[in-house]
Amino acid sequence: MSAHSHVDGQLPHEPEKATLEGRNKVLGFWLFLGAEVVLFGTLFSAFLALRDKVGDGNPTADELFNLSTVAIATFILLTSSLTSVFATQAMHAGKKNAMIGWLIITVLFGLGFLGLEIYEFKEYVHEGHGFTTSAFSSSFYTLVGFHGAHVAFGVLWISIIIGQVLKKGLTVVTAPKIYVSGLYWHFIDVVWVFIFTVVYLMGKVG
Amino acid sequence: MAHAHAHTVKRYKGLMDWLTTVDHKKIGILYLLAGGFFFLVGGLEAIMIRIQLIKPLNDFVSAEKFNQLLTMHGTTMIFLAAMPMLFALMNAVIPLQIGARDVAFPFVNALGFWTFFAGGVLLNVSWFTGGAPDAGWTSYVPLASPTYSPEYGVDYYVIGLQIAGIGTLIGGINFLVTIINMRAPGMTFMRMPMFTWAIFITSALILFAFPALTVGLVALMFDRLFEANFFEVANGGNAVLWEHIFWIFGHPEVYILILPAFGVISEVISTFSRKRLFGYSSMVFATVLIGFLGFMVWAHHMFTTGLGPVANALFSIATMLIAVPTGIKIFNWLFTMWGGSIKFTTANLFAVGFIPTFVMGGVTGVMLAAAPADFQYHDSYFVVAHFHYVIVGGLILGIFSGLHYWWPKMFGRMLNETLGKLTFWTFFIGFHMTFLIQHFLGLMGMPRRIYTYLDGLGFNNMNLISTIGAFLMGLGTIFFILNIIVTSVSGKKAAGDAWEDGRTLEWTIPSPAPEYNFAQTPLVRGYDAFWKEKMDGHKEMTPAEPLGSIHMPSPSILPLFMSIGLFIAGLGFMYHNYYVGGGGLALTFLCMLIRSLKDDHGFHIEPDELHDKGVKA
């Protein structure tokens, strides 16, 4: 099955699953996300075990977190998941330009989220909550930082895919990449929902 | 399929061919070479450990060197020898057994090998840069913390294993997708050979176990390199957290090691008994159940940590439960042999030797699972004896069995049976001599991981016998290497159905398998697909497709460079040289970018080329 053959330029309805290579990619990526669930699950466990270990005189979660900044970041990231869905729908409808538009908006939202996160981290360091301050701070920055690194990677990745689609068009080779990067983007959104709950809300409550 | 635009793909020869290959059969051989090399390294470390312990107050190596040898022996054998040799068998056999032309992601397959190799080399570089890791293969904190292990050794452990672990994880995903998506027409899940089933479950275990190790290693690396506080008790860290994370990975890991061996034994015993595997569906069920329970028992490594009676009781019961599906397997193998016309080839000797040996390891496992008794056995040579019975007596005998069984398919030559039998008997007797007696050493109170012992404790003779046994195992390994050398020079050429009693698809194609595996994808009409055709009077499989041109993936040098990038990055970060570290990562990401931007069109092998090579199904 050659990946680059398609009949008279007409894309099938689900171009990401039109070839065996595409189907392999989609399944393989779902499995990879399974591994990511364990990865973040372990990071969450470590954080939960260490979240009260603030040390003497260091700011606690309650003193530190500013929920309004985090709420804005959450809003931005969740909206970017919606725009990512629109991109995938546009791909299924064969509308290349609309898809690229939605992908660009997704990337911009991702950048906005990263900007807020960097600002937030700078504030925390300013308040004496550095990476090496306590077990709480180390596990906090590792968990939230891993997520931030995932967002940054996603932003880069989707940007590269946008470039490829502009150059090569929407084909059975590029379609699985778009679809799979969409899965990735939703996944890091779901992780953020848990971070917002477990790290920030629970940090505020107790 | 219109492929009017013919792509010319550069095809390499010699060394470049091996460095760029994405062919699962060649990658299997690479895994075997690298894993075999590390097996010899780890074996040499074991022999040095045993020489040090041959008599009381020996000074063959210093205490520091002993700790390094002991740590590197365990780490090397598990991560750099056993796992890669399993991946060698997986690569060599799985696509052939399911009637596929390759794995789902050939490029990722090559990447998995090279990252494992880069990680393994990095770990062993530590010998030449001031001392290997010395905190045990479990690398428990606080011993492994920067306070108590200020040298670079443990840094090599966390970074080397991290890089090697990437290779294992992507290999696991690759085989899951391969087995789910690439089976030949007619091969339903319940018609898959038992080895394929075992690898399927093993890959799922890899998928869910290795990310936990990734996080554990990252946390320990952050503690060591960037002064984080995960395990620094003074700053609120928690040392028991490491134990949990390590064993949540570590216990599934031992099933990752043993399930493939179960698969090998099932194939070999069935083939050489000339009988269908007894209780196939119960075998599948038992494999799935062992895989599932394997995630529920990690705290039995921590009975003496002080988790409390409730936790200990629960983990104790869960652990003992695993004996049930394992027992099912043992009886199924015995019933497969029952009434069969058994041929005791070397492969079968290893398989038959495996059964009682593994049962003994299993029985001591149940003994150790009894939490109150474990307080007595804990950290003694009894534990050392137990896990060598399941890992060497289980896994390594399984790997030897599989290598002797599939060698003709991998290399096209039969191994010599006389040398094979010498290998088996020296290794088998040597093994029991080394480790049976260690049970009693442990019960008498000899602690594990000590570099020497005093005279007059009653340990002397048993340690001497144990060391002689270790030399016998070394001799067995030398016989095996001799066998490889002798038969590669003057060995008998292997037929397609090398053992004449082949039951599964890999025996329907020539030995060694051609580049494209199957000229025509076979149609599978039942379990033991080839045997079924033979019993119906056919000499070959019914093809499921007409003869046509075959699409092949292009070779690529990128996986090698990506791994070299990670290797450089690891060294750079370890020595706090962030330019070197960043440069290494940049090389890796650059290769990823090239891979993403450059479409791999592959090339085609046309039907007339197939006939030129004289391939018959």
Side-chain angles (χ1 to χ4, degrees), chain A residues 10-199:
Chain A
Q10 189 69 47
L11 268 187
H13 173 58
E14 287 189 321
E16 74 275 10
K17 290 174 190 157
T19 62
L20 178 62
E21 283 88 346
R23 287 193 295 278
N24 283 347
K25 258 188 197 152
V26 172
L27 176 64
F29 204 80
W30 272 110
L31 294 170
F32 170 72
L33 290 183
E36 290 268 75
V37 168
V38 180
L39 185 105
F40 277 102
T42 316
L43 284 168
F44 272 109
S45 317
F47 176 79
L48 284 172
L50 303 173
R51 60 192 278 261
D52 300 327
K53 307 293 187 289
V54 180
D56 292 335
N58 301 319
T60 63
D62 186 28
E63 294 160 12
L64 214 52
F65 295 150
N66 177 4
L67 274 191
S68 54
T69 319
V70 186
I72 297 170
T74 308
F75 181 74
I76 290 177
L77 200 63
L78 292 190
T79 313
S80 78
S81 224
L82 182 68
T83 58
S84 166
V85 172
F86 289 156
T88 306
Q89 280 186 335
M91 177 189 82
H92 281 159
K95 294 175 184 156
K96 190 181 105 177
N97 291 333
M99 184 195 78
I100 289 176
W102 286 120
L103 286 180
I104 290 174
I105 295 173
T106 308
V107 165
L108 290 178
F109 276 134
L111 284 173
F113 172 86
L114 280 176
L116 275 180
E117 184 153 89
I118 292 166
Y119 166 78
E120 185 200 346
F121 280 9
K122 268 181 78 175
E123 285 292 303
Y124 292 160
V125 173
H126 193 67
E127 289 172 39
H129 178 70
F131 181 67
T132 59
T133 307
S134 62
F136 162 62
S137 75
S138 295
S139 59
F140 168 82
Y141 283 113
T142 306
L143 170 60
V144 183
F146 249 75
H147 175 267
H150 273 75
V151 176
F153 184 82
V155 164
L156 266 176
W157 185 22
I158 295 175
S159 307
I160 291 166
I161 291 172
I162 292 172
Q164 288 184 38
V165 177
L166 283 173
K167 197 162 156 247
K168 298 173 193 164
L170 190 54
T171 67
V172 288
V173 179
T174 48
K177 300 187 185 186
I178 298 157
Y179 186 81
V180 151
S181 65
L183 289 181
Y184 177 82
W185 197 257
H186 296 315
F187 173 76
I188 49 183
D189 252 25
V190 172
V191 172
W192 181 259
V193 170
F194 281 93
I195 290 182
F196 184 66
T197 315
V198 172
V199 177

Side-chain angles (χ1 to χ4, degrees), chain A residues 1 4-5 23-24 27-28 31-32 35 38-39 43 53 131-135 138-139 142 160 164 168 173 177, chain B residues 5 104-105 176-177 180-182 207-208 211 215 222 226-230 235-237 551 593 596-597 599 601:
Chain A
M1 188 146 321
H4 50 98
S5 60
R23 287 193 295 278
N24 283 347
L27 176 64
L31 294 170
F32 170 72
V38 180
L39 185 105
L43 284 168
K53 307 293 187 289
F131 181 67
T132 59
T133 307
S134 62
S138 295
S139 59
T142 306
I160 291 166
Q164 288 184 38
K168 298 173 193 164
V173 179
K177 300 187 185 186
Chain B
H5 39 282
F105 308 112
L176 278 171
V177 178
I180 294 173
N181 270 3
M182 311 273 284
L207 181 70
F208 293 117
V215 171
F222 281 0
F226 308 126
E227 296 167 46
N229 303 304
F230 283 97
N235 293 329
H551 180 245
L593 185 66
S596 176
L597 295 181
D599 288 341
H601 297 295

